[in-house]
Amino acid sequence: MSVIAKLQNRYFKEEKMNKLTLAVAAVMLGAATAFAAPKPKIQLVNFTGTISVTVDGKTTIIDAAHPMKEIPAGAVVSVISGAATFQTDGGTISAAKDDTFSVNSAKDKVSINVTAGAPVLNVGQDMAILKAGSGVSLDSSKDKVALVVTQGSVSVNGDDGKTSTLVAGG
């Protein structure tokens, strides 16, 4: 076998190995992505009127002509007119005109911080009335969703009919 033939043979073997290595790496990356824990989703399930969603300084207007199903993490949501219902992995948020809040999500948690109005958060049989300056986190990593007040205070009407006030850090 000539030197040129040996070099060509070696080159093609290395090229096949490089392609194989690249293919294996792509499969492994896909598998790692597939097994990564998904972020909880925040879905807009029902609304009337107009809503604005601002992410990274870019505002999108949602109305009957321009619907949106999924609210991205990090969004600031403002109900301009009408009312809206949002579903998360841990609860349901009902918001009305002039309610403004931000939503974020991580592995098994959704956080909601209210800047205006008084949206209502239903978690199981409990109803939490949020207000401007309050923030909560929903942790769905356990069997039961945990509601944690992260900022300000929140009034909670329990399934037992009693109302209690939960305070951040308390």
Side-chain angles (χ1 to χ4, degrees), residues 11-160:
Y11 172 78
F12 288 120
K13 282 183 182 177
E14 286 178 4
E15 185 175 344
K16 285 181 184 176
M17 287 300 293
N18 287 341
K19 286 181 181 177
L20 178 62
T21 301
L22 186 58
V24 168
V27 168
M28 290 175 68
L29 179 61
T33 302
F35 290 109
K39 288 185 176 181
K41 295 189 180 345
I42 299 113
Q43 301 284 333
L44 175 58
V45 293
N46 189 15
F47 75 98
T48 61
T50 305
I51 302 165
S52 76
V53 177
T54 303
V55 180
D56 295 329
K58 183 180 179 206
T59 300
T60 302
I61 299 297
I62 302 171
D63 56 23
H66 304 94
M68 176 188 278
K69 295 263 185 202
E70 189 168 318
I71 305 301
V76 174
V77 177
S78 295
V79 179
I80 299 168
S81 66
T85 304
F86 303 86
Q87 182 70 46
T88 72
D89 289 350
T92 303
I93 305 164
S94 299
K97 182 179 186 275
D98 297 329
D99 287 350
T100 300
F101 58 93
S102 62
V103 291
N104 219 326
S105 62
K107 186 178 174 188
D108 291 318
K109 295 181 181 177
V110 173
S111 63
I112 303 155
N113 293 301
V114 179
T115 54
V120 174
L121 173 64
N122 288 296
V123 180
Q125 298 298 316
D126 294 336
M127 179 177 76
I129 301 168
L130 310 175
K131 59 185 176 183
S134 66
V136 296
S137 176
L138 300 175
D139 185 345
S140 60
S141 64
K142 307 270 190 287
D143 291 337
K144 185 177 178 183
V145 176
L147 171 68
V148 178
V149 178
T150 58
Q151 182 178 320
S153 63
V154 175
S155 294
V156 178
N157 299 327
D159 60 352
D160 58 1

